[in-house]
Amino acid sequence: MLNKMQTINNKRDQTIDILKGLCIILMIAGHASCPATDFFYLFHMSVFFMASGYFFKPSTIYDIKSFLFYCKKKLLSLWLPYVIYNSIFVLFRHQLFLLNIITTNENIVNYGSLSSTSSEWSLKHTIHKLFDIFFMQTYAENIMGAFWFVAVLLYIQIIFAFITLIINKYNKTKSLRFYILIYFSISCLTLFISCLEKTKTPLSILYCPLFFLGFLINKINIKQYICTSPTKDCSVYYLHFL
């Protein structure tokens, strides 16, 4: 068992882990209103979507059964935590008021979209909130707003998985160029729809092109464009590029 776990860890791309770790630090610094916040916000979330696309494997989705298995994994890893954590904040909302984690005090400094001020909810509104959370249409409180990433990522992954299922069913050649063409077309379409929608709801699919870009970076074999020597080890240059 230990040897099997070691083998899995050896296959893990630590470069991507380090990259995501750095972006997490930048995200925290940005939310802490550091002087470079505007600069960090130019790219830090984009990297997360690209990293997810980088590990997307079309070959694992070849029929309805594999598609449903993929969706099940994503629901367990993304939808379930989203629902659980947000539901906890809704159900224990009164206790959060007592602890002053959320408050109706208007004198509390307003930090924009992450404001900790709130108002009391009726039972009807609470039930409606739980219903919306179940379908990932909202989040419990502004302090839970970071969960928008989880919702958008889930929608994007399901979209790409469904497209892949269709491609693998009707494209017998399994040409990489065909995958890239279709993914690129869908990404442009979702970007266009998002621009028309002009909204920042969890249903936004504005980040589809970034997910596609991460997939593309993985597939075009960047190494060959950085180091062309047949005798020299290019792994160092490859890691530095990523």
Side-chain angles (χ1 to χ4, degrees):
M1 182 66 178
L2 181 60
N3 292 333
K4 184 177 180 180
M5 293 178 61
Q6 289 176 343
T7 302
I8 295 175
N9 290 333
N10 290 335
K11 292 181 179 180
R12 189 177 183 90
D13 192 336
Q14 295 183 349
T15 306
I16 303 298
D17 287 337
I18 293 172
L19 182 61
K20 290 192 293 186
L22 290 174
C23 286
I24 289 173
I25 294 173
L26 297 181
M27 178 181 64
I28 295 172
H31 283 295
S33 300
C34 77
T37 295
D38 291 340
F39 172 69
F40 295 157
Y41 279 15
L42 290 174
F43 62 87
H44 76 298
M45 293 308 301
S46 300
V47 171
F48 291 120
F49 285 104
M50 291 172 63
S52 297
Y54 183 87
F55 290 108
F56 182 71
K57 295 180 174 58
S59 59
T60 61
I61 305 171
Y62 47 86
D63 57 14
I64 292 294
K65 185 176 180 180
S66 59
F67 170 73
L68 293 177
F69 179 74
Y70 178 88
C71 292
K72 178 183 176 181
K73 288 197 305 180
K74 296 307 174 183
L75 288 174
L76 291 175
S77 62
L78 295 174
W79 176 82
L80 187 59
Y82 182 98
V83 172
I84 289 176
Y85 284 109
N86 278 282
S87 297
I88 288 174
F89 268 75
V90 170
L91 296 174
F92 293 92
R93 196 166 184 273
H94 181 68
Q95 284 70 25
L96 296 177
F97 269 109
L98 296 178
L99 295 172
N100 285 323
I101 294 177
I102 53 178
T103 178
T104 57
N105 187 349
E106 296 297 334
N107 294 321
I108 297 293
V109 178
N110 190 335
Y111 287 100
S113 61
L114 297 180
S115 169
S116 60
T117 59
S118 187
S119 59
E120 295 286 355
W121 290 349
S122 65
L123 177 60
K124 180 179 179 181
H125 184 79
T126 300
I127 296 174
H128 185 269
K129 197 76 171 180
L130 289 171
F131 182 82
D132 285 344
I133 287 171
F134 184 85
F135 290 100
M136 304 183 84
Q137 296 297 302
T138 186
Y139 36 80
E141 286 284 352
N142 287 338
I143 55 177
M144 300 293 286
F147 270 94
W148 72 266
F149 170 79
V150 177
V152 173
L153 181 61
L154 176 61
Y155 287 126
I156 291 175
Q157 289 180 331
I158 297 300
I159 288 172
F160 271 78
F162 180 75
I163 295 169
T164 301
L165 174 65
I166 302 301
I167 294 176
N168 287 339
K169 184 176 181 179
Y170 295 103
N171 178 31
K172 304 302 181 180
T173 62
K174 302 295 186 296
S175 170
L176 178 60
R177 292 182 180 180
F178 187 76
Y179 283 107
I180 292 176
L181 176 62
I182 298 298
Y183 291 151
F184 176 76
S185 301
I186 296 298
S187 297
C188 291
L189 177 62
T190 55
L191 182 60
F192 176 73
I193 294 174
S194 297
C195 291
L196 291 180
E197 189 182 24
K198 294 182 179 179
T199 180
K200 295 182 180 180
T201 65
L203 284 173
S204 174
I205 45 181
L206 178 64
Y207 293 92
C208 270
L210 292 171
F211 188 89
F212 165 72
L213 183 58
F215 168 80
L216 189 63
I217 289 174
N218 188 353
K219 296 302 179 184
I220 62 177
N221 192 12
I222 296 177
K223 188 192 300 185
Q224 66 180 340
Y225 298 104
I226 301 173
C227 178
T228 57
S229 173
T231 58
K232 188 175 181 179
D233 182 8
C234 302
S235 59
V236 176
Y237 296 95
Y238 182 51
L239 293 177
H240 279 300
F241 180 84
L242 290 178

